[in-house]
């Protein structure tokens, strides 16, 4: 086994997630004191750990569809809801946040509507149209990524003050197979098992990640 290659892919993954988390943090009004915060799709806590020590808040609730509580032993939270965020009953929160998770939901509009009824402030990042274009072009598979404009159209129906930005990360790999292995590890796409010949003919050594960031107030 070539450990260097494995580390390279690991680094790529951690670096992208961390960059997204750090940029997303700058969309939060961190001078404010929040009574209650909910994070949706917290995963292993890359974003949670970015805001946990820096924000002033009383209570923190976490959510993920999978039980990732073992990654949160250093974090003091009130509730961890292991549930599909689309089915989660939301109480009132001062702030709801989410990083790199909303691209998975069936209806972003239904989710945003529900969130807007429980919190006057929402800050999130989402993979958007053009994400992993190399995979779509070769394998014809993709999540149903929305464009930044499509997301803005939805948000404008529920929030009056919206700030946003988009960013592209291009990751370079030693070989096309390394790029595919990276995807397999991160699980950021709806990419499933593919035919051997289609996998063999994949010839891109880059992967493009496109992320949109939003801060929304009522
Ligand atoms: C790319 S990870 C991001 C994790 C974390 N927020 C971060 O910044 O590293 C996406 C997370 O969303 C979770 N997720 C996907 N669909 C979900 C759903 N419908 N409800 C709750 N969590 C979901 C996944 O289990 C995963 O942990």
């Amino acid at each position: 086994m070539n450990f260097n290659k494995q580390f390279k892919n690991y680094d790529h993954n951690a670096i992208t997630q961390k960059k997204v988390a750090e940029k997303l943090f700058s969309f939060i009004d961190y001078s404010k004191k929040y009574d209650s915060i909910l994070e949706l799709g917290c995963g292993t806590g890359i974003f949670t750990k970015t805001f946990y020590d820096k924000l002033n808040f009383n209570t923190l609730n976490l959510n993920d569809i999978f039980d990732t509580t073992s990654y949160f032993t250093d974090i003091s939270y009130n509730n961890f809801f292991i549930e599909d965020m689309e089915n989660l009953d939301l109480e009132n929160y001062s702030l709801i946040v989410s990083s790199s998770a909303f691209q998975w939901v069936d209806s972003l509009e239904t989710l945003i509507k529900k969130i807007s009824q429980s919190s006057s402030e929402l800050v999130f990042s989402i993979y958007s149209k053009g994400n992993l274009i190399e995979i779509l072009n070769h394998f014809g598979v993709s999540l149903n990524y929305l464009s930044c404009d499509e997301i803005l159209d939805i948000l404008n129906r529920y929030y009056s003050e919206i700030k946003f930005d988009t960013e592209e990360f291009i990751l370079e790999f030693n070989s096309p197979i390394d790029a595919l292995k990276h995807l397999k590890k991160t699980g950021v796409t709806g990419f499933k098992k593919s035919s051997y010949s289609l996998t063999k003919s994949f010839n891109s050594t880059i992967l493009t990640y496109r992320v949109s960031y939003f801060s929304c107030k009522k």
Side-chain angles (χ1 to χ4, degrees):
M1 181 178 281
N2 185 335
F3 277 107
N4 279 341
K5 278 189 186 168
Q6 294 297 331
F7 280 136
K8 189 179 172 203
N9 286 352
Y10 250 83
D11 274 354
H12 270 323
N13 180 33
I15 286 167
T16 309
Q17 299 262 44
K18 192 123 185 50
K19 276 189 186 160
V20 171
E22 270 160 19
K23 179 154 174 140
L24 185 61
F25 180 72
S26 73
F27 278 74
I28 300 178
D29 185 352
Y30 40 83
S31 62
K32 254 172 92 170
K33 176 160 170 59
Y34 294 95
D35 183 43
S36 53
I37 298 180
L38 169 69
E39 182 183 359
L40 296 168
C42 61
T44 58
I46 291 182
F47 183 56
T48 326
K49 286 158 197 166
T50 308
F51 72 74
Y52 183 74
D53 287 331
K54 299 186 198 124
L55 283 188
N56 195 344
F57 61 88
N58 288 328
T59 63
L60 171 65
N61 286 352
L62 301 171
N63 153 264
D64 202 274
I65 200 163
F66 296 116
D67 183 356
T68 54
T69 48
S70 62
Y71 293 95
F72 289 86
T73 49
D74 296 344
I75 298 255
S76 162
Y77 56 84
N78 296 75
N79 295 290
F80 195 114
F81 305 117
I82 304 165
E83 198 173 342
D84 184 334
M85 66 176 93
E86 292 173 279
N87 300 330
L88 192 64
D89 284 332
L90 299 183
E91 46 195 82
N92 285 334
Y93 291 97
S94 327
L95 172 68
I96 293 182
V97 296
S98 180
S99 191
S100 312
F102 282 3
Q103 70 279 354
W104 285 104
V105 303
D106 287 333
S107 168
L108 184 65
E109 170 133 22
T110 308
L111 179 67
I112 297 292
K113 184 176 178 188
K114 178 169 78 167
I115 290 173
S116 71
Q117 288 160 353
S118 90
S119 179
S120 57
E121 241 180 288
L122 165 67
V123 174
F124 70 99
S125 63
I126 181 171
Y127 290 110
S128 41
K129 202 171 213 96
N131 191 53
L132 297 175
I133 190 76
E134 299 81 8
I135 299 299
L136 174 63
N137 288 345
H138 186 77
F139 294 95
V141 292
S142 171
L143 291 181
N144 184 25
Y145 299 114
L146 299 178
S147 69
C148 187
D149 283 348
E150 287 170 325
I151 299 166
L152 279 172
D153 279 349
I154 294 173
L155 294 173
N156 273 318
R157 290 199 269 276
Y158 303 97
Y159 293 93
S160 59
E161 219 183 289
I162 298 166
K163 287 188 199 136
F164 68 97
D165 199 4
T166 59
E167 200 173 21
E168 203 170 80
F169 297 94
I170 297 183
L171 303 193
E172 287 182 26
F173 297 87
N174 291 332
S175 67
I177 202 73
D178 278 348
L180 294 179
K181 278 184 189 161
H182 164 81
L183 273 187
K184 203 174 162 200
K185 272 184 214 138
T186 56
V188 287
T189 176
F191 186 55
K192 297 208 178 77
K193 231 181 159 54
S194 203
S195 83
Y196 178 70
S197 61
L198 200 55
T199 304
K200 271 289 260 190
S201 59
F202 182 68
N203 62 6
S204 177
T205 53
I206 65 162
L207 290 175
T208 305
Y209 285 90
R210 182 161 297 166
V211 188
S212 299
Y213 302 83
F214 299 92
S215 146
C216 319
K217 288 184 188 165
K218 278 203 159 175

